[in-house]
Amino acid sequence: MDKKNDKVLKRKREPDNDEFYENQENIETPAIKQQRMDHRLLISSLMLIDRTASDGNGKMSLGRDFVSLAMVMDEPEILDVDRTEMCFRACEQADELACAESERRLLTWAIDWTRQVADMEDAISNADKIALLRACCVPLTLLELGARSCATAAQAKTSCAALQVLPLPNNTYLSTDMQSPKNCFLSVNAIRALLQWTTRHLKQLQLTPKEMVLLKALIVVNVGERNFPIFSSKLKKGEEISPIHK
């Protein structure tokens, strides 16, 4: 009986997880508290960027005949017609029209991601944003396609590599077993390599949504840091206090 009472008293003395973290925050220095707040703000900002870049806005295009990257950086609403909601359910094989739509949508997504991350640094000019976009567009887009294929495979309880399909943002897919449309922006070998990398490496990391947006941001940061020394000071703070441990 005494042993049972001792166990009950011991459990009462042990704080739960919420109390533990609250106590930890209470004993932190002001600098660490500020760092933690900056980290939470950074994560929230990146999650918002990721969500808005993938969502559709239901707006009409301004109808310009000629659109340049410089114009897009000044007036992002020019691409509103291409900002449809990104859905990767892989319902049917992509034809030429679906490939063209997917390519435009992914490019618009990459533009929005790069532009909004770059806007976190006030000193980045539009010319630098364009250079940054050109440098990180391909790895950023391939990571997004890989992450989406992981999610699609999880829903199907199999792997996209096993199915040999790569989902696209308009509910279509590309297959390594069938001939791709002539205007396809990825070759069969590129699709196969991406699916293999996704299954062997990306899927094994089991990244949370927060970790995934940090990984996307790090792609932009690494490119920006090499080309623009002034860039990435804010994002580097987030990298230092929240590395991806997987």
Side-chain angles (χ1 to χ4, degrees), residues 121-137:
E121 290 287 345
D122 298 332
I124 297 295
S125 65
N126 281 348
D128 287 342
K129 290 178 184 178
I130 293 173
L132 188 64
L133 170 66
R134 287 173 172 162
C136 68
C137 180

Side-chain angles (χ1 to χ4, degrees), residues 63-79:
R64 297 178 185 268
D65 294 330
F66 172 78
V67 176
S68 66
L69 287 177
M71 294 167 60
V72 169
M73 294 302 175
D74 282 330
E75 300 179 77
E77 60 273 12
I78 292 176
L79 297 179

Side-chain angles (χ1 to χ4, degrees), residues 128-169:
D128 287 342
K129 290 178 184 178
I130 293 173
L132 188 64
L133 170 66
R134 287 173 172 162
C136 68
C137 180
V138 172
L140 195 61
T141 302
L142 291 178
L143 175 61
E144 177 69 2
L145 287 174
R148 296 290 189 161
S149 68
C150 284
T152 301
Q155 293 174 358
K157 297 182 179 180
T158 183
S159 69
C160 287
L163 298 174
Q164 294 299 305
V165 298
L166 180 70
L168 296 178

Side-chain angles (χ1 to χ4, degrees), residues 196-241:
Q196 290 176 351
W197 172 80
T198 299
T199 302
R200 295 176 182 176
H201 303 287
L202 185 60
K203 182 180 178 181
Q204 304 304 319
L205 294 176
Q206 298 180 348
L207 299 179
T208 66
K210 290 182 179 180
E211 290 170 331
M212 183 58 70
V213 296
L214 278 174
L215 185 56
K216 293 174 186 176
L218 287 177
I219 290 177
V220 180
V221 168
N222 288 337
V223 171
E225 194 172 17
R226 288 196 301 269
N227 296 279
F228 317 106
I230 194 173
F231 185 68
S232 80
S233 61
K234 294 180 181 178
L235 290 175
K236 282 173 67 179
K237 294 179 182 178
E239 178 184 358
E240 290 169 0
I241 62 177

Side-chain angles (χ1 to χ4, degrees), residues 17 28 40 46 84 89 110 117 157 163 191 203 222:
N17 289 337
E28 288 176 348
R40 289 174 178 170
L46 292 175
T84 55
R89 287 193 289 269
V117 171
K157 297 182 179 180
L163 298 174
I191 297 171
K203 182 180 178 181
N222 288 337

Side-chain angles (χ1 to χ4, degrees), residues 4-62:
K4 186 176 181 180
N5 291 335
D6 290 342
K7 290 182 179 179
V8 173
L9 291 174
K10 185 177 180 181
R11 283 199 298 269
K12 288 183 178 180
R13 287 195 298 266
E14 292 177 349
D16 58 22
N17 289 337
D18 293 337
E19 291 177 350
F20 173 77
Y21 288 119
E22 184 177 351
N23 292 335
Q24 284 293 105
E25 292 189 2
N26 289 336
I27 63 176
E28 288 176 348
T29 64
I32 294 179
K33 286 184 178 180
Q34 183 62 47
Q35 192 178 48
R36 187 182 295 276
M37 290 177 61
D38 291 343
H39 172 238
R40 289 174 178 170
L41 179 60
L42 173 62
I43 294 295
S44 298
S45 299
L46 292 175
M47 294 290 287
L48 180 61
I49 289 173
D50 195 54
R51 185 169 63 253
T52 56
S54 301
D55 286 346
N57 55 26
K59 296 180 180 179
M60 296 297 293
S61 171
L62 295 181

